[in-house]
Amino acid sequence: MSSLFDLTGRVAVVTGAGRGLGQGLALGLAEAGADLALVVNKTAPDETAKAIEALGRKAVVITADLSTEAGAARVVAETLEAFGKADILVNNAGIIRRTPAAEHAYSDWQAVLDVNLNSVFLLSQSFGREMIRAGYGKIVNIASMLTFQGGINVPGYTASKHAVAGLTKALANEWAGKGVNVNAIAPGYMATDNTEALRNDETRNRQILERIPSGRWGTAEDMKGPVVFLASRASDYMSGHVLCVDGGWMTR
Ligand code: NAD
């Protein structure tokens, strides 16, 4: 059974791998046997790379600004230069800007769409081409509860995460027959920098915890099993699915 989840010999690209959920996603894939291209924005994730190398896996750090087309192109070029292929792509990098819709600056809207949606398209398209050529590939996009719900004060983020699900399905339809599975994970409320403002707001923190059946915020560790599942042979017949990892939030 374990061979279904074995990623030995696979190369995985994880964006936003320096901290938060990306770090957990990258470590989970490495623990299952994959070598990693770790895409980071500014600060190199020494910690993530060292932990992966300690597992006996290879880790290559790629610094790129995914808000630009050139940044996405660099990720593709450097991954192929280092490994010659990419079997798994996890589009995890994301940003959030919190201001009411009536005051939401267009520059914030654009910044969020650039990272959360446009980079997902660019990386999926380029790596997808390679995967189609190889006849094998796994793309996992990181969605959100705001793929399903409207949220408050985050119109750009909500629009981007709804679009991530749409793009996941569009690519899945085209590529499932070519050996490339495209799916998404929708994390619930996870304790990372992204949600620090919510956790620091006593009222919002209490309201959120009251609605989570599991009774706690999620962690990067909670992402490991789901991503290994969607990145491995175990999910070969899954396509265009958005998997909620949310402690039951969506069932409430
Ligand atoms: P985080 O802020 O800790 O990490 C975001 C990562 O994205 C960072 O590593 C950052 O360097 C990277 N990044 C941001 N802008 C970038 C750019 N221009 N170029 C390259 N990299 C860039 O947040 P997180 O909670 O770990 O978020 C990871 C993903 O999970 C995001 O897509 C987020 O929307 C999603 N998500 C998070 C939660 C949550 O509760 N934390 C819930 C649902 C979805």
Side-chain angles (χ1 to χ4, degrees):
M1 185 51 143
S2 65
S3 65
L4 265 183
F5 300 93
D6 185 14
L7 299 179
T8 306
R10 300 289 185 205
V11 171
V13 183
V14 178
T15 66
R19 62 169 200 244
L21 301 187
Q23 195 167 53
L25 291 161
L27 283 171
L29 294 168
E31 283 167 19
D35 293 321
L36 266 297
L38 304 169
V39 184
V40 303
N41 195 5
K42 286 172 194 131
T43 333
D46 281 332
E47 212 187 287
T48 315
K50 276 188 197 138
I52 287 169
E53 281 159 2
L55 292 165
R57 310 264 62 91
K58 198 172 165 192
V60 169
V61 176
I62 299 172
T63 305
D65 178 2
L66 290 176
S67 67
T68 67
E69 195 177 352
R74 167 131 34 86
V75 172
V76 179
E78 290 191 21
T79 301
L80 296 180
E81 192 184 315
F83 294 104
K85 65 168 186 171
D87 306 293
I88 298 158
L89 167 65
V90 183
N91 284 306
N92 164 76
I95 58 173
I96 192 161
R97 298 280 164 88
R98 298 179 196 278
T99 41
E103 286 94 49
H104 209 73
Y106 185 55
S107 56
D108 280 343
W109 169 274
Q110 281 178 314
V112 169
L113 268 287
D114 277 341
V115 180
N116 294 15
L117 178 63
N118 297 340
S119 82
V120 176
F121 172 69
L122 291 168
L123 292 178
S124 298
Q125 185 184 50
S126 297
F127 282 117
R129 274 193 211 112
E130 298 294 322
M131 291 172 181
I132 289 167
R133 209 170 290 144
Y136 182 88
K138 302 274 183 181
I139 298 178
V140 182
N141 296 324
I142 302 304
S144 166
M145 293 297 96
L146 300 191
T147 291
F148 310 102
Q149 302 174 317
I152 301 162
N153 296 339
V154 288
Y157 185 84
T158 300
S160 74
K161 293 297 186 179
H162 271 64
V164 162
L167 179 61
T168 299
K169 292 172 193 173
L171 300 180
N173 285 344
E174 290 195 39
W175 297 349
K178 301 177 194 294
V180 181
N181 300 80
V182 188
N183 291 290
I185 294 173
Y189 283 79
M190 319 296 276
T192 67
D193 291 354
N194 176 299
T195 52
E196 197 181 355
L198 292 180
R199 282 176 290 117
N200 289 341
D201 179 334
E202 215 175 291
T203 309
R204 287 285 282 136
N205 187 46
R206 182 178 37 78
Q207 288 167 343
I208 287 167
L209 279 176
E210 277 169 3
R211 194 192 144 149
I212 302 174
S214 293
R216 65 170 176 86
W217 285 76
T219 65
E221 189 77 18
D222 292 317
M223 301 294 284
K224 289 182 174 178
V227 77
V228 169
F229 171 54
L230 289 179
S232 68
R233 287 254 177 231
S235 58
D236 273 357
Y237 201 53
M238 284 182 69
S239 219
H241 186 72
V242 185
L243 184 65
C244 291
V245 179
D246 63 349
W249 173 276
M250 288 302 294
T251 66
R252 198 81 167 211

